[in-house]
Amino acid sequence: ARNVFIVSRVSDDDGFPSDGILHYGQPIRLGAGPQLHERPLYLFSNDKWVQGQSLANDETMMCLYPRATAGAHWRIVRLQAPGATDKGDDVVRLGAPILLECITTSLALGSDSTLRMTHYGNECRVYGTAEKLDWNMDIAQVAKTAWSFVDSQWADEVIAAAQKAVGGSGATIDWQLEDGTFRDAKVYLAGLEIPKGWGNVDPGALLKDPQKRAEHTLTLLDLEPGSEARKLLTRIFPMIRNAGMHKARRLRRMCVQADTEGQGALPIRSFAGVLSWLGVRVKEEELRTLLDLLAKEGDEESVDYRRFFALMAPPMSEIRGSVVRDAYAKLRDGAAGKLVEVPDLQRHWRPKCHPDVQKGLMTESEAMDEFLRQWDVASADGLVSWEEFLDYYQDVSMAVESNEVFVEIVRRGWGL
């Protein structure tokens, strides 16, 4: 559901025919499917860089917004590859390279091909960029802002092309497209990141299942130089988790505070210093091992701490997300005006849910004090948004490996 969008016209009086066909330059909205949320959500372009959103300095935030404001108005721009034939009309066709541009901000929708582990699964980032496509770029750069409307046949052909490219089972001929041209496997795979070392794994299975692809990539990393870094992480992660329910959150926030430029990275020795606050000691030779795995792109002496915590945190499963939603819904229903504030958290949270209270290592009063210190709300009026509530439990989830234990912590905490 998170990857399905509905295209709609901004206005029936947009100057384009009412023929049910999408046209270049036509103002449109991209709305999330009803499976994602009960309220309509629209792809929205923010014209500003937002700290803490895994954005580079030249990138802006793209998000889903519950109102169809001007920032949710888009148009499709034709991208004509060198040597391509123009059909001479303004109809957007399947497979044609396009650019999605926000009418209000003039920013293009960009993405990268690196899978990132989030609490929803393995996904790719999206962001806004003023850097428009130039066909003189290499194919990886072109792919960042080039999009296409495709169908299930295209997906099947990409899988067949991947199988052909690695000599596996699949198509033995090239494919004829709608416009009569032929494409070979290399063209289908242009700009698509294919993991190295397929081995005996069916490439179709890896392309269709991001989880299998991520697992396969981890397996390959264990066989390559740098696998020692993962062994080091298997020592560090349990130490952080065992330090307490809120220590992973505290550690992450310390990294964010030390990252004064908001780049998502810290010098390796600064990162080691943050870890030492928790009693995690990294030897001199292990610093280089960490950099082998976590070096920030373009900076060989800095650690991408966001990736560090993404590797530590398993994706928030549906059972975890569901109980967190139930907890916030209960808080909202009992709050004045259905607006949750920190005092609401203080009144309703039950410190007996804290694992250290259950072990006798902490009093209920100490647990309450620790819990309340986690809420540096961004809103000036002291409101706790759903996003802040979820952010808190994403950090708790990072420290709790067991689904059953996590669900019990939430349920006991809010009397569900």
Coordinates of all heavy atoms in Angstrom, one line a residue, residues 124-209:
C124 N 13.5 2.6 -0.5 CA 14.4 3.6 -1.1 C 13.9 5.0 -0.7 O 12.7 5.2 -0.6 CB 14.5 3.5 -2.6 SG 15.2 1.9 -3.2
R125 N 14.9 5.9 -0.5 CA 14.5 7.3 -0.1 C 13.8 7.9 -1.3 O 14.1 7.6 -2.5 CB 15.7 8.1 0.2 CG 16.4 7.8 1.5 CD 17.5 8.8 1.8 NE 18.3 9.1 0.6 CZ 18.6 10.4 0.2 NH1 18.2 11.4 0.9 NH2 19.4 10.6 -0.8
V126 N 13.0 9.0 -1.0 CA 12.6 9.9 -2.0 C 12.8 11.3 -1.5 O 12.8 11.5 -0.3 CB 11.1 9.8 -2.4 CG1 10.8 8.5 -3.1 CG2 10.2 9.9 -1.2
Y127 N 13.1 12.3 -2.3 CA 13.4 13.6 -1.9 C 13.2 14.6 -3.1 O 12.9 14.2 -4.2 CB 14.9 13.7 -1.5 CG 15.8 13.1 -2.5 CD1 16.3 13.9 -3.6 CD2 16.3 11.8 -2.5 CE1 17.1 13.4 -4.5 CE2 17.1 11.3 -3.4 CZ 17.6 12.1 -4.4 OH 18.4 11.6 -5.4
G128 N 13.2 15.9 -2.8 CA 13.1 16.9 -3.8 C 14.5 17.4 -4.2 O 15.4 17.5 -3.3
T129 N 14.6 17.7 -5.4 CA 15.9 18.2 -5.9 C 15.7 19.2 -7.0 O 14.8 19.1 -7.9 CB 16.8 17.0 -6.4 OG1 18.0 17.6 -7.0 CG2 16.1 16.2 -7.5
A130 N 16.6 20.2 -7.0 CA 16.5 21.2 -8.1 C 17.4 20.8 -9.3 O 17.4 21.4 -10.4 CB 17.0 22.6 -7.6
E131 N 18.2 19.7 -9.1 CA 19.1 19.2 -10.2 C 18.2 18.3 -11.1 O 17.9 17.2 -10.8 CB 20.2 18.4 -9.6 CG 21.2 17.9 -10.6 CD 22.3 17.0 -10.0 OE1 22.2 16.7 -8.8 OE2 23.2 16.7 -10.7
K132 N 18.0 18.9 -12.3 CA 17.1 18.2 -13.2 C 18.0 17.2 -14.1 O 19.2 17.4 -14.2 CB 16.4 19.1 -14.2 CG 15.6 20.2 -13.4 CD 14.5 19.5 -12.6 CE 13.7 20.5 -11.7 NZ 13.0 21.5 -12.4
L133 N 17.4 16.3 -14.8 CA 18.1 15.3 -15.5 C 18.8 15.9 -16.7 O 18.4 16.7 -17.4 CB 17.0 14.2 -16.0 CG 17.6 13.1 -16.8 CD1 16.8 11.8 -16.5 CD2 17.6 13.3 -18.3
D134 N 20.0 15.4 -16.9 CA 20.9 15.7 -18.0 C 21.4 14.4 -18.6 O 22.0 13.6 -17.9 CB 22.1 16.6 -17.5 CG 23.0 17.0 -18.7 OD1 22.8 16.4 -19.8 OD2 23.9 17.8 -18.4
W135 N 21.1 14.2 -19.9 CA 21.4 12.9 -20.5 C 22.9 12.7 -20.6 O 23.4 11.6 -21.0 CB 20.7 12.8 -21.8 CG 19.2 12.5 -21.7 CD1 18.2 13.4 -21.9 CD2 18.6 11.3 -21.3 NE1 17.0 12.8 -21.6 CE2 17.2 11.5 -21.2 CE3 19.1 10.0 -20.9 CZ2 16.3 10.5 -20.9 CZ3 18.2 9.0 -20.6 CH2 16.8 9.3 -20.5
N136 N 23.7 13.7 -20.3 CA 25.2 13.6 -20.3 C 25.6 12.9 -19.0 O 26.8 12.6 -18.9 CB 25.8 14.9 -20.6 CG 25.6 15.5 -22.0 OD1 25.6 14.7 -22.9 ND2 25.4 16.8 -22.1
M137 N 24.8 12.8 -18.1 CA 25.1 12.2 -16.8 C 25.3 10.7 -17.0 O 24.8 10.1 -18.0 CB 24.0 12.4 -15.8 CG 23.7 13.8 -15.4 SD 22.3 13.8 -14.2 CE 22.2 15.6 -13.9
D138 N 26.0 10.0 -16.1 CA 26.0 8.6 -16.2 C 24.6 8.0 -15.8 O 23.8 8.7 -15.2 CB 27.1 8.0 -15.3 CG 26.9 8.3 -13.8 OD1 25.8 8.0 -13.3 OD2 27.8 8.8 -13.2
I139 N 24.4 6.8 -16.1 CA 23.0 6.2 -15.9 C 22.5 6.2 -14.5 O 21.4 6.4 -14.2 CB 23.0 4.8 -16.5 CG1 21.5 4.3 -16.5 CG2 23.8 3.8 -15.6 CD1 20.7 5.0 -17.5
A140 N 23.5 6.1 -13.5 CA 23.0 6.2 -12.1 C 22.5 7.5 -11.7 O 21.5 7.7 -11.0 CB 24.2 5.8 -11.2
Q141 N 23.1 8.6 -12.3 CA 22.6 10.0 -12.0 C 21.2 10.2 -12.7 O 20.3 10.8 -12.2 CB 23.6 11.0 -12.5 CG 24.8 11.1 -11.6 CD 24.5 11.6 -10.2 OE1 24.6 10.9 -9.3 NE2 24.1 12.9 -10.2
V142 N 21.1 9.7 -14.0 CA 19.9 9.8 -14.7 C 18.7 9.2 -13.9 O 17.6 9.7 -13.9 CB 20.0 9.2 -16.1 CG1 18.7 9.1 -16.8 CG2 21.0 10.0 -17.0
A143 N 19.0 8.0 -13.4 CA 17.9 7.3 -12.7 C 17.4 8.0 -11.5 O 16.3 7.7 -11.0 CB 18.5 5.9 -12.3
K144 N 18.1 9.0 -10.9 CA 17.6 9.6 -9.7 C 16.4 10.5 -9.9 O 15.6 10.6 -9.0 CB 18.8 10.5 -9.1 CG 19.9 9.7 -8.5 CD 20.9 10.6 -7.9 CE 22.0 9.8 -7.2 NZ 23.1 10.6 -6.6
T145 N 16.2 11.0 -11.1 CA 15.0 11.9 -11.3 C 14.2 11.4 -12.5 O 13.2 12.0 -12.8 CB 15.4 13.3 -11.5 OG1 16.4 13.4 -12.6 CG2 16.0 14.0 -10.3
A146 N 14.6 10.3 -13.1 CA 13.8 9.8 -14.3 C 12.8 8.7 -13.7 O 13.2 7.8 -13.0 CB 14.7 9.2 -15.3
W147 N 11.5 8.8 -14.1 CA 10.5 7.9 -13.7 C 9.8 7.4 -15.0 O 9.9 8.0 -16.1 CB 9.5 8.6 -12.8 CG 10.1 9.2 -11.6 CD1 10.7 10.4 -11.4 CD2 10.2 8.5 -10.3 NE1 11.2 10.5 -10.1 CE2 10.9 9.4 -9.4 CE3 9.8 7.3 -9.8 CZ2 11.1 9.1 -8.1 CZ3 10.0 7.0 -8.4 CH2 10.7 7.9 -7.6
S148 N 9.0 6.4 -14.8 CA 8.2 5.9 -15.9 C 6.9 5.3 -15.3 O 6.9 4.8 -14.2 CB 8.9 4.8 -16.7 OG 10.0 5.3 -17.4
F149 N 5.8 5.4 -16.1 CA 4.6 4.6 -15.7 C 4.8 3.2 -16.4 O 5.1 3.1 -17.6 CB 3.4 5.3 -16.3 CG 3.0 6.5 -15.5 CD1 3.3 7.8 -16.0 CD2 2.3 6.5 -14.3 CE1 3.0 8.9 -15.4 CE2 2.0 7.6 -13.6 CZ 2.3 8.9 -14.1
V150 N 4.6 2.2 -15.6 CA 4.8 0.8 -16.1 C 3.6 -0.1 -15.7 O 2.8 0.3 -14.8 CB 6.1 0.2 -15.5 CG1 7.3 1.0 -16.0 CG2 6.1 0.1 -14.0
D151 N 3.6 -1.3 -16.2 CA 2.5 -2.2 -15.9 C 3.2 -3.5 -15.5 O 4.4 -3.7 -15.4 CB 1.6 -2.4 -17.0 CG 2.2 -2.8 -18.3 OD1 3.4 -3.2 -18.3 OD2 1.6 -2.8 -19.3
S152 N 2.4 -4.5 -15.2 CA 2.9 -5.8 -14.7 C 3.7 -6.5 -15.8 O 4.7 -7.3 -15.5 CB 1.8 -6.7 -14.3 OG 0.8 -6.9 -15.3
Q153 N 3.4 -6.3 -17.1 CA 4.2 -6.9 -18.1 C 5.6 -6.4 -18.1 O 6.6 -7.1 -18.2 CB 3.6 -6.6 -19.5 CG 4.4 -7.2 -20.7 CD 3.8 -6.8 -22.0 OE1 2.7 -6.3 -22.1 NE2 4.6 -7.0 -23.1
W154 N 5.8 -5.1 -17.8 CA 7.1 -4.5 -17.7 C 7.9 -5.1 -16.6 O 9.1 -5.5 -16.7 CB 7.0 -3.0 -17.5 CG 8.4 -2.3 -17.3 CD1 9.2 -1.8 -18.2 CD2 9.0 -2.1 -16.0 NE1 10.3 -1.3 -17.6 CE2 10.2 -1.5 -16.2 CE3 8.7 -2.4 -14.7 CZ2 11.1 -1.1 -15.2 CZ3 9.6 -2.1 -13.7 CH2 10.8 -1.4 -13.9
A155 N 7.3 -5.3 -15.4 CA 7.9 -6.0 -14.3 C 8.4 -7.4 -14.6 O 9.5 -7.8 -14.3 CB 7.0 -6.0 -13.1
D156 N 7.5 -8.1 -15.3 CA 7.9 -9.5 -15.7 C 9.1 -9.5 -16.7 O 10.0 -10.3 -16.6 CB 6.7 -10.2 -16.4 CG 5.6 -10.4 -15.4 OD1 5.8 -10.5 -14.2 OD2 4.4 -10.6 -15.9
E157 N 9.1 -8.5 -17.6 CA 10.2 -8.4 -18.5 C 11.5 -8.0 -17.9 O 12.6 -8.5 -18.3 CB 9.8 -7.5 -19.7 CG 8.7 -8.0 -20.5 CD 8.2 -7.0 -21.6 OE1 8.6 -5.8 -21.4 OE2 7.4 -7.4 -22.5
V158 N 11.5 -7.2 -16.9 CA 12.7 -6.8 -16.1 C 13.3 -8.1 -15.4 O 14.5 -8.3 -15.5 CB 12.4 -5.7 -15.1 CG1 13.6 -5.6 -14.1 CG2 12.2 -4.4 -15.8
I159 N 12.4 -8.9 -14.8 CA 12.8 -10.1 -14.2 C 13.5 -11.1 -15.2 O 14.5 -11.6 -15.0 CB 11.7 -10.8 -13.4 CG1 11.2 -9.9 -12.3 CG2 12.0 -12.2 -13.0 CD1 10.0 -10.4 -11.6
A160 N 12.8 -11.2 -16.3 CA 13.3 -12.1 -17.4 C 14.7 -11.5 -17.9 O 15.6 -12.3 -18.2 CB 12.3 -12.2 -18.5
A161 N 14.8 -10.2 -18.0 CA 16.1 -9.6 -18.4 C 17.2 -9.9 -17.5 O 18.3 -10.2 -17.8 CB 15.9 -8.1 -18.6
A162 N 16.9 -9.8 -16.2 CA 17.9 -10.1 -15.1 C 18.3 -11.6 -15.2 O 19.5 -11.9 -15.1 CB 17.3 -9.8 -13.8
Q163 N 17.3 -12.5 -15.4 CA 17.7 -13.9 -15.5 C 18.5 -14.1 -16.7 O 19.5 -14.9 -16.7 CB 16.4 -14.7 -15.6 CG 15.6 -14.7 -14.3 CD 14.2 -15.3 -14.4 OE1 13.6 -15.3 -15.5 NE2 13.7 -15.9 -13.3
K164 N 18.2 -13.4 -17.8 CA 19.0 -13.6 -19.0 C 20.4 -13.1 -18.9 O 21.4 -13.6 -19.3 CB 18.3 -12.9 -20.2 CG 19.1 -13.0 -21.5 CD 18.4 -12.3 -22.6 CE 19.2 -12.3 -23.9 NZ 18.5 -11.6 -25.0
A165 N 20.5 -11.9 -18.2 CA 21.8 -11.3 -18.0 C 22.8 -12.1 -17.2 O 24.0 -12.0 -17.4 CB 21.6 -9.9 -17.3
V166 N 22.3 -12.9 -16.3 CA 23.1 -13.8 -15.4 C 23.2 -15.2 -15.9 O 23.7 -16.1 -15.3 CB 22.7 -13.7 -14.0 CG1 22.8 -12.3 -13.4 CG2 21.3 -14.3 -13.8
G167 N 22.6 -15.5 -17.1 CA 22.6 -16.8 -17.7 C 21.7 -17.8 -17.1 O 21.8 -19.0 -17.2
G168 N 20.7 -17.3 -16.3 CA 19.7 -18.2 -15.7 C 18.6 -18.4 -16.6 O 18.5 -18.1 -17.8
S169 N 17.6 -19.1 -16.0 CA 16.4 -19.4 -16.8 C 15.6 -18.1 -17.1 O 15.7 -17.2 -16.3 CB 15.5 -20.4 -16.1 OG 15.1 -19.9 -14.9
G170 N 14.9 -18.1 -18.1 CA 14.1 -16.8 -18.5 C 14.0 -16.7 -20.0 O 14.1 -17.7 -20.7
A171 N 13.8 -15.5 -20.4 CA 13.6 -15.2 -21.8 C 14.9 -15.5 -22.6 O 16.0 -15.3 -22.2 CB 13.2 -13.8 -22.1
T172 N 14.7 -16.0 -23.8 CA 15.8 -16.3 -24.7 C 15.8 -15.4 -25.9 O 16.7 -15.5 -26.7 CB 15.7 -17.8 -25.2 OG1 14.5 -17.9 -25.9 CG2 15.8 -18.8 -24.1
I173 N 14.9 -14.5 -26.0 CA 14.8 -13.5 -27.1 C 14.6 -12.1 -26.5 O 14.3 -11.9 -25.3 CB 13.7 -13.8 -28.1 CG1 12.3 -13.7 -27.3 CG2 13.9 -15.1 -28.7 CD1 11.1 -13.9 -28.3
D174 N 14.8 -11.1 -27.3 CA 14.5 -9.7 -26.9 C 13.0 -9.5 -27.0 O 12.3 -10.3 -27.5 CB 15.3 -8.7 -27.8 CG 16.8 -8.8 -27.6 OD1 17.2 -9.2 -26.5 OD2 17.5 -8.6 -28.6
W175 N 12.6 -8.4 -26.4 CA 11.1 -8.1 -26.4 C 10.7 -7.0 -27.3 O 11.5 -6.0 -27.4 CB 10.7 -7.8 -25.0 CG 11.0 -8.9 -24.0 CD1 10.2 -9.9 -23.7 CD2 12.2 -9.1 -23.3 NE1 10.9 -10.8 -22.9 CE2 12.1 -10.3 -22.6 CE3 13.4 -8.3 -23.1 CZ2 13.1 -10.8 -21.7 CZ3 14.4 -8.8 -22.3 CH2 14.2 -10.0 -21.6
Q176 N 9.6 -7.1 -28.0 CA 9.1 -6.1 -28.8 C 8.2 -5.2 -28.0 O 7.2 -5.7 -27.4 CB 8.4 -6.7 -30.0 CG 8.0 -5.6 -31.0 CD 7.5 -6.2 -32.3 OE1 7.4 -7.4 -32.5 NE2 7.3 -5.4 -33.3
L177 N 8.4 -3.9 -28.0 CA 7.6 -3.0 -27.3 C 6.5 -2.4 -28.1 O 6.4 -2.7 -29.3 CB 8.5 -1.8 -26.8 CG 9.7 -2.3 -25.9 CD1 10.4 -1.1 -25.4 CD2 9.2 -3.2 -24.7
E178 N 5.7 -1.6 -27.4 CA 4.5 -1.1 -28.1 C 4.8 -0.2 -29.3 O 4.1 -0.3 -30.3 CB 3.7 -0.2 -27.1 CG 2.4 0.4 -27.6 CD 1.8 1.4 -26.6 OE1 2.3 1.4 -25.5 OE2 0.8 2.0 -27.0
D179 N 5.9 0.5 -29.3 CA 6.2 1.4 -30.4 C 7.0 0.6 -31.5 O 7.5 1.3 -32.5 CB 7.0 2.6 -29.9 CG 8.3 2.2 -29.3 OD1 8.6 1.0 -29.2 OD2 9.0 3.1 -28.8
G180 N 7.2 -0.7 -31.4 CA 7.8 -1.4 -32.4 C 9.3 -1.6 -32.3 O 9.9 -2.3 -33.1
T181 N 9.9 -1.0 -31.3 CA 11.4 -1.1 -31.1 C 11.7 -2.3 -30.3 O 10.8 -3.0 -29.7 CB 11.9 0.1 -30.4 OG1 11.3 0.2 -29.1 CG2 11.6 1.4 -31.2
F182 N 12.9 -2.7 -30.3 CA 13.4 -3.9 -29.6 C 14.3 -3.4 -28.5 O 15.1 -2.4 -28.7 CB 14.1 -4.9 -30.5 CG 13.2 -5.6 -31.4 CD1 12.8 -5.1 -32.6 CD2 12.7 -6.9 -31.0 CE1 11.9 -5.8 -33.4 CE2 11.8 -7.6 -31.8 CZ 11.4 -7.0 -33.1
R183 N 14.3 -4.1 -27.4 CA 15.2 -3.8 -26.3 C 15.9 -5.1 -25.8 O 15.2 -6.1 -25.7 CB 14.5 -3.1 -25.1 CG 14.0 -1.7 -25.4 CD 13.5 -1.1 -24.1 NE 13.0 0.3 -24.3 CZ 12.6 1.0 -23.4 NH1 12.5 0.6 -22.2 NH2 12.1 2.3 -23.7
D184 N 17.2 -5.0 -25.6 CA 17.8 -6.2 -25.0 C 17.9 -6.1 -23.5 O 17.4 -5.1 -22.9 CB 19.2 -6.4 -25.6 CG 20.1 -5.3 -25.3 OD1 19.9 -4.5 -24.4 OD2 21.1 -5.1 -26.1
A185 N 18.5 -7.1 -22.9 CA 18.5 -7.2 -21.4 C 19.2 -6.0 -20.8 O 18.8 -5.4 -19.8 CB 19.2 -8.5 -21.0
K186 N 20.3 -5.5 -21.5 CA 21.0 -4.4 -20.9 C 20.2 -3.1 -20.8 O 20.3 -2.3 -19.9 CB 22.3 -4.1 -21.7 CG 23.3 -5.2 -21.6 CD 24.5 -4.9 -22.5 CE 25.6 -6.0 -22.4 NZ 26.8 -5.7 -23.2
V187 N 19.3 -2.9 -21.8 CA 18.5 -1.7 -21.8 C 17.4 -1.8 -20.7 O 17.1 -0.8 -20.0 CB 17.8 -1.5 -23.2 CG1 16.8 -0.3 -23.1 CG2 18.8 -1.3 -24.2
Y188 N 16.9 -3.0 -20.5 CA 15.9 -3.1 -19.4 C 16.5 -2.9 -18.1 O 15.8 -2.4 -17.1 CB 15.3 -4.6 -19.5 CG 14.0 -4.6 -20.3 CD1 14.0 -4.9 -21.6 CD2 12.8 -4.5 -19.7 CE1 12.9 -4.9 -22.4 CE2 11.6 -4.5 -20.4 CZ 11.7 -4.8 -21.8 OH 10.5 -4.8 -22.5
L189 N 17.8 -3.3 -17.9 CA 18.4 -3.2 -16.6 C 19.1 -1.9 -16.4 O 19.7 -1.7 -15.4 CB 19.4 -4.4 -16.4 CG 18.7 -5.7 -16.6 CD1 19.8 -6.8 -16.4 CD2 17.7 -5.9 -15.5
A190 N 19.1 -1.0 -17.4 CA 19.8 0.3 -17.3 C 19.3 1.1 -16.1 O 18.1 1.3 -15.9 CB 19.6 1.1 -18.6
G191 N 20.3 1.5 -15.2 CA 19.9 2.2 -14.0 C 19.4 1.4 -12.9 O 19.1 1.9 -11.8
L192 N 19.2 0.1 -13.1 CA 18.7 -0.8 -12.0 C 19.9 -1.4 -11.3 O 20.7 -2.0 -11.9 CB 17.8 -1.9 -12.6 CG 17.1 -2.8 -11.7 CD1 16.1 -2.0 -10.8 CD2 16.4 -4.0 -12.4
E193 N 19.9 -1.3 -10.0 CA 21.0 -1.8 -9.2 C 20.8 -3.3 -9.0 O 19.9 -3.8 -8.3 CB 21.1 -1.1 -7.9 CG 22.2 -1.6 -7.0 CD 22.2 -1.0 -5.6 OE1 21.3 -0.3 -5.3 OE2 23.2 -1.2 -4.9
I194 N 21.6 -4.1 -9.7 CA 21.6 -5.6 -9.5 C 22.7 -6.0 -8.6 O 23.8 -5.7 -8.8 CB 21.8 -6.3 -10.9 CG1 20.7 -5.8 -11.9 CG2 21.7 -7.8 -10.7 CD1 19.3 -6.1 -11.5
P195 N 22.3 -6.7 -7.5 CA 23.4 -7.1 -6.5 C 24.4 -8.0 -7.2 O 24.1 -8.8 -8.1 CB 22.6 -7.9 -5.5 CG 21.2 -7.4 -5.6 CD 21.0 -7.1 -7.0
K196 N 25.7 -7.8 -6.8 CA 26.8 -8.6 -7.3 C 26.7 -10.0 -6.7 O 26.2 -10.3 -5.6 CB 28.1 -8.0 -6.9 CG 28.3 -6.6 -7.5 CD 29.6 -6.0 -7.1 CE 29.6 -5.7 -5.6 NZ 30.9 -5.1 -5.2
G197 N 27.2 -11.0 -7.5 CA 27.4 -12.3 -7.0 C 26.0 -13.1 -6.8 O 25.7 -13.5 -5.7
W198 N 25.3 -13.2 -7.9 CA 23.9 -13.8 -7.7 C 24.1 -15.3 -7.3 O 23.2 -15.8 -6.6 CB 23.2 -13.8 -9.1 CG 22.8 -12.4 -9.5 CD1 23.6 -11.6 -10.3 CD2 21.6 -11.7 -9.3 NE1 23.0 -10.4 -10.5 CE2 21.7 -10.5 -10.0 CE3 20.5 -12.0 -8.6 CZ2 20.7 -9.5 -9.9 CZ3 19.4 -11.1 -8.6 CH2 19.6 -9.9 -9.3
G199 N 25.2 -15.9 -7.7 CA 25.4 -17.3 -7.3 C 24.2 -18.1 -7.9 O 23.9 -18.0 -9.1
N200 N 23.7 -19.0 -7.1 CA 22.6 -19.9 -7.6 C 21.2 -19.3 -7.2 O 20.2 -20.0 -7.3 CB 22.8 -21.3 -7.0 CG 24.0 -22.0 -7.4 OD1 24.4 -21.9 -8.6 ND2 24.7 -22.7 -6.5
V201 N 21.2 -18.1 -6.8 CA 19.9 -17.5 -6.4 C 19.2 -17.0 -7.6 O 19.8 -16.4 -8.5 CB 20.2 -16.3 -5.4 CG1 18.8 -15.7 -5.0 CG2 20.9 -16.9 -4.2
D202 N 17.9 -17.2 -7.7 CA 17.1 -16.7 -8.8 C 17.0 -15.2 -8.7 O 16.5 -14.7 -7.8 CB 15.7 -17.4 -8.8 CG 14.8 -16.8 -9.8 OD1 15.3 -16.2 -10.8 OD2 13.6 -17.1 -9.7
P203 N 17.5 -14.5 -9.7 CA 17.5 -13.0 -9.7 C 16.0 -12.5 -9.6 O 15.8 -11.4 -9.0 CB 18.2 -12.6 -10.9 CG 18.1 -13.8 -11.9 CD 18.2 -15.0 -11.0
G204 N 15.1 -13.3 -10.2 CA 13.7 -12.8 -10.1 C 13.2 -12.8 -8.7 O 12.5 -11.9 -8.3
A205 N 13.6 -13.7 -7.9 CA 13.2 -13.8 -6.5 C 13.8 -12.6 -5.7 O 13.1 -12.0 -4.9 CB 13.7 -15.1 -5.8
L206 N 15.0 -12.2 -6.0 CA 15.6 -11.0 -5.3 C 15.0 -9.7 -5.8 O 14.8 -8.8 -5.0 CB 17.1 -11.0 -5.6 CG 17.9 -12.2 -5.2 CD1 19.4 -11.9 -5.3 CD2 17.6 -12.6 -3.7
L207 N 14.6 -9.6 -7.0 CA 14.0 -8.4 -7.5 C 12.6 -8.2 -7.0 O 12.1 -7.1 -6.7 CB 14.0 -8.3 -9.0 CG 15.3 -8.1 -9.7 CD1 15.2 -8.3 -11.2 CD2 15.9 -6.7 -9.4
K208 N 11.8 -9.3 -6.8 CA 10.5 -9.2 -6.3 C 10.3 -9.1 -4.8 O 9.4 -8.6 -4.3 CB 9.7 -10.5 -6.8 CG 9.4 -10.5 -8.3 CD 8.5 -11.7 -8.7 CE 9.2 -13.0 -8.6 NZ 8.4 -14.1 -9.1
D209 N 11.3 -9.6 -4.1 CA 11.2 -9.6 -2.6 C 12.4 -8.8 -2.0 O 13.5 -9.3 -1.9 CB 11.3 -11.0 -2.1 CG 11.0 -11.1 -0.7 OD1 11.2 -10.1 0.1 OD2 10.5 -12.2 -0.2

